[in-house]
Amino acid sequence: MRGLLKSLPAGIGAAILGGLMPYPALADAIAGEAKKSAFNLEAVVMFVAFVGFTLVITYWAAKRTKTAKDFYAAGGGITGFQNGLAVAGDYMSAASFLGIAGLVYANGYDGLIYSVGWLVGWPIILFLIAERLRNLGKYTFADVASYRFSQTPIRSLAACGTLATVAFYLIAQMVGAGQLIKLLFGLEYWMAVVIVGALMITYVLFGGMIATTWVQIIKACLLLSGATFMAFMVLYKFGFSPEAIFKKAVEFHPKKLAIMAPGALISDPISAISLGMALMFGTAGLPHILMRFFTVSDAKEARKSVLYATGFIGYFYILTFIIGFGAIVLIMDPSNPIFITSPPLPGDAAFKTTQIIGGNNMAAIHTAHAVGGDLFFGFISAVAFATILAVVSGLTLAGASAVSHDLYASVFFKGRVNERDEIRVSKVATVILGIVAVVLGIAFEKQNVAFMVGLAFVIAASANFPLLMMSMFWGKMTTRGAVCGGWLGLISAVVMLVLGPTVWQSVMGHPQAIFPYANPGLFSITLAFAGIWFFSITDNSEQGARERELFKAQFVRSQTGLGAEGASVH
């Protein structure tokens, strides 16, 4: 086991999470090729069992997937509790599990800001989005955004926002999966990426949303149970006294008492506000999350699913906080230095948290071994793989839906297509997306892809979220305002992130960034809303007047659900 731990390289989780961090936190990102570890029998057996079970579910789901509604929205028959678990499973990625625990391990209390930022996005979805989205839409959030506007420009914008978000998110997940599985399972990198790609294509191609939903539910249960056991064992070792854990953590950590105070990760108010806006509004604009609210029967179940998801996700983030502090006291313990790469040991002034084998983001994996031995280490390793598998399946389905439902059916053929053709195009898009994801995952093996998740969140916050919110709540919005503001938000987000320190300095190697902030959310989101407002109020066309009149009917349906899509009967 010790030989396996020694082979882990630095920063695997940072490939998935780092794009959302301020520039200094990117130092732990993937810098090169990882070494293949020894064969991990426990992890492989548990992963094979998970895959076998999910393939049986896919076979069952394939028999129930007959219509477009089945493929895109599981027939609208998922209960609020089931969907809440599935949303949590879709959302609790390896970034949450490895990244947040790693941030807490490295920075203490300050690492909690990321989990809080993500969690705060859920009340926005609960109170402002879920009910109206379910009442107005059919399969994708573009159905809502284009409800009373010209279909072609709005759906094209929404599809571009969806595909951009999905593409960047997917590449980061694939690279993270390949590196993580190469380490924990002893597989070659390309084999790990191909396995992930083949499985996600299988789930979506044959089982559609039904199979994807149950893969996410199973993964959520595994992750929650594993994290619960880890947190319980950490507390058990200290007599269930958080005070004892914190005291020992302050003693071992090189930052001493500073780990109990905020302020280390975010250095200025603009960066803090910008990061918070990206986390909150990005969550509410992720297409694969929004798509899940069409899988329930009505708006009431949509609200229930958000309530359950918020509870599960909040509980999970509390666990990661405990696991992070547990990692400090178990990994930095001078009496048991097997998780540290080399001297000096904890307590020495020169010690750095990055001297943990594998880097900060392997803190949760090492903690699993510390509290549960090789068997639990194998279980958590398999859960980490299952976590990525569930997320990429949801992303692939969202991307395929944007191609088939938004572009093919609504933009190219103006709604004049039958369900069979639309599903066929969606399945072709699934295969193409999967192949592209595998190819890019292999191509980016040695690259720092940390910025890609940051870019995905900023695009979701700057293009998808303003478009969706303004279309549902502002009656004076017009097609011209939506298109101009949406593209303004999307383009500005990409340009500012590329010119900022995350990409311009960290990835491209320039000495100084042109745009000074690592996260451009404050600026790009503001530009999007301002653009929608300005170009709408200055639109005096007849079409704009008609679209303003249509808001009354849209508002009634959004509040009452009259005319909303119902569940399929099987």
Side-chain angles (χ1 to χ4, degrees):
M1 188 70 239
R2 186 168 179 171
L4 170 60
L5 293 175
K6 291 288 184 185
S7 68
L8 300 179
I12 301 306
I16 308 167
L17 179 70
L20 291 175
M21 300 178 188
Y23 173 63
L26 287 172
D28 200 29
I30 289 178
E33 185 178 6
K35 295 180 180 179
K36 187 173 70 171
S37 73
F39 183 73
N40 186 342
L41 179 62
E42 295 90 348
V44 171
V45 169
M46 292 179 186
F47 172 69
V48 170
F50 169 80
V51 170
F53 186 52
T54 52
L55 288 177
V56 171
I57 288 176
T58 303
Y59 176 75
W60 166 80
K63 293 184 176 181
R64 298 170 60 91
T65 303
K66 301 174 183 177
T67 66
K69 190 170 185 65
D70 294 332
F71 185 82
Y72 292 126
I78 304 297
T79 67
F81 178 76
Q82 291 170 343
N83 195 47
L85 259 179
V87 169
D90 206 356
Y91 197 71
M92 294 184 302
S93 67
S96 299
F97 183 48
L98 303 180
I100 297 297
L103 279 174
V104 174
Y105 163 81
N107 300 283
Y109 175 83
D110 217 34
L112 197 61
I113 186 174
Y114 288 92
S115 57
V116 171
W118 274 314
L119 189 62
V120 171
W122 287 99
I124 295 175
I125 299 175
L126 174 61
F127 293 111
L128 299 179
I129 292 178
E131 181 178 355
R132 290 173 174 82
L133 188 76
R134 180 61 187 84
N135 285 338
L136 293 172
K138 190 176 183 181
Y139 302 140
T140 67
F141 89 93
D143 293 333
V144 180
S146 63
Y147 186 86
R148 58 189 169 97
F149 305 116
S150 296
Q151 297 292 302
T152 299
I154 300 295
R155 284 190 182 272
S156 298
L157 169 61
C160 287
T162 295
L163 290 173
T165 303
V166 166
F168 290 120
Y169 216 140
L170 201 53
I171 291 171
Q173 294 288 340
M174 294 297 283
V175 173
Q179 298 287 12
L180 188 64
I181 305 318
K182 179 179 179 179
L183 299 169
L184 299 179
F185 290 75
L187 296 176
E188 294 289 347
Y189 174 86
W190 70 268
M191 290 176 61
V193 173
V194 169
I195 289 172
V196 172
L199 287 172
M200 78 181 187
I201 291 173
T202 301
Y203 294 148
V204 177
L205 193 63
F206 297 103
M209 181 58 88
I210 298 175
T212 301
T213 297
W214 284 102
V215 168
Q216 290 162 345
I217 289 174
I218 295 167
K219 167 256 173 153
C221 293
L222 289 174
L223 187 58
L224 286 169
S225 60
T228 298
F229 177 78
M230 287 176 67
F232 177 86
M233 290 304 295
V234 168
L235 291 170
Y236 174 76
K237 285 179 178 290
F238 290 87
F240 296 95
S241 171
E243 182 182 357
I245 297 176
F246 295 149
K247 184 178 179 180
K248 189 65 71 173
V250 169
E251 177 186 338
F252 286 164
H253 202 284
K255 294 183 180 180
K256 300 303 179 185
L257 197 59
I259 65 170
M260 301 307 296
L265 287 176
I266 306 296
S267 57
D268 63 275
I270 292 179
S271 294
I273 295 171
S274 193
L275 176 64
M277 290 177 68
L279 294 177
M280 288 187 291
F281 300 145
T283 296
L286 291 174
H288 61 294
I289 297 295
L290 296 174
M291 192 175 179
R292 292 229 50 90
F293 297 112
F294 301 116
T295 65
V296 294
S297 58
D298 53 34
K300 179 181 178 181
E301 292 299 310
R303 289 194 302 271
K304 281 185 180 179
S305 63
V306 184
L307 191 63
Y308 285 125
T310 306
F312 290 131
I313 295 169
Y315 170 68
F316 175 74
Y317 283 142
I318 292 172
L319 297 180
T320 59
F321 188 63
I322 297 172
I323 292 169
F325 270 94
I328 295 174
V329 297
L330 296 175
I331 293 172
M332 294 185 183
D333 188 350
S335 65
N336 187 30
I338 66 169
F339 303 111
I340 304 299
T341 55
S342 61
L345 296 176
D348 295 340
F351 178 76
K352 295 181 175 60
T353 60
T354 49
Q355 287 178 230
I356 177 178
I357 297 170
N360 291 347
N361 293 289
M362 296 303 290
I365 301 293
H366 292 321
T367 304
H369 180 240
V371 301
D374 288 356
L375 186 62
F376 190 61
F377 178 89
F379 173 79
I380 290 298
S381 300
V383 168
F385 200 176
T387 293
I388 295 175
L389 205 53
V391 173
V392 296
S393 297
L395 287 167
T396 303
L397 184 56
S401 302
V403 172
S404 60
H405 181 62
D406 296 329
L407 293 179
Y408 173 78
S410 301
V411 173
F412 299 147
F413 287 90
K414 313 294 184 185
R416 298 187 298 272
V417 295
N418 57 48
E419 281 195 351
R420 181 172 297 181
D421 288 340
E422 188 174 333
I423 294 176
R424 177 176 53 81
V425 171
S426 187
K427 291 186 175 182
V428 171
T430 297
V431 174
I432 294 174
L433 274 173
I435 294 173
V436 169
V438 169
V439 171
L440 292 177
I442 294 173
F444 278 87
E445 175 186 1
K446 299 178 183 180
Q447 303 299 316
N448 179 1
V449 296
F451 72 95
M452 288 187 176
V453 168
L455 188 52
F457 262 78
V458 172
I459 289 174
S462 305
N464 301 347
F465 177 73
L467 184 64
L468 183 63
M469 288 296 291
M470 296 291 270
S471 67
M472 291 192 297
F473 288 95
W474 194 43
K476 295 181 180 180
M477 180 175 169
T478 66
T479 297
R480 191 181 80 165
V483 171
C484 293
W487 281 111
L488 188 62
L490 194 155
I491 294 171
S492 65
V494 174
V495 170
M496 283 188 279
L497 193 75
V498 170
L499 297 180
T502 303
V503 178
W504 198 255
Q505 280 183 285
S506 178
V507 178
M508 297 185 178
H510 295 287
Q512 187 171 355
I514 297 173
F515 181 76
Y517 299 103
N519 196 302
L522 173 62
F523 306 95
S524 56
I525 295 169
T526 303
L527 280 173
F529 277 106
I532 292 173
W533 170 81
F534 177 77
F535 289 105
S536 291
I537 64 168
T538 56
D539 184 0
N540 297 317
S541 64
E542 292 184 8
Q543 179 185 345
R546 289 195 302 270
E547 289 167 352
R548 293 185 183 101
E549 282 298 317
L550 289 173
F551 179 74
K552 297 175 183 177
Q554 175 185 322
F555 181 76
V556 171
R557 174 165 164 172
S558 71
Q559 296 295 314
T560 63
L562 294 174
E565 288 285 318
S568 298
V569 178
H570 293 287

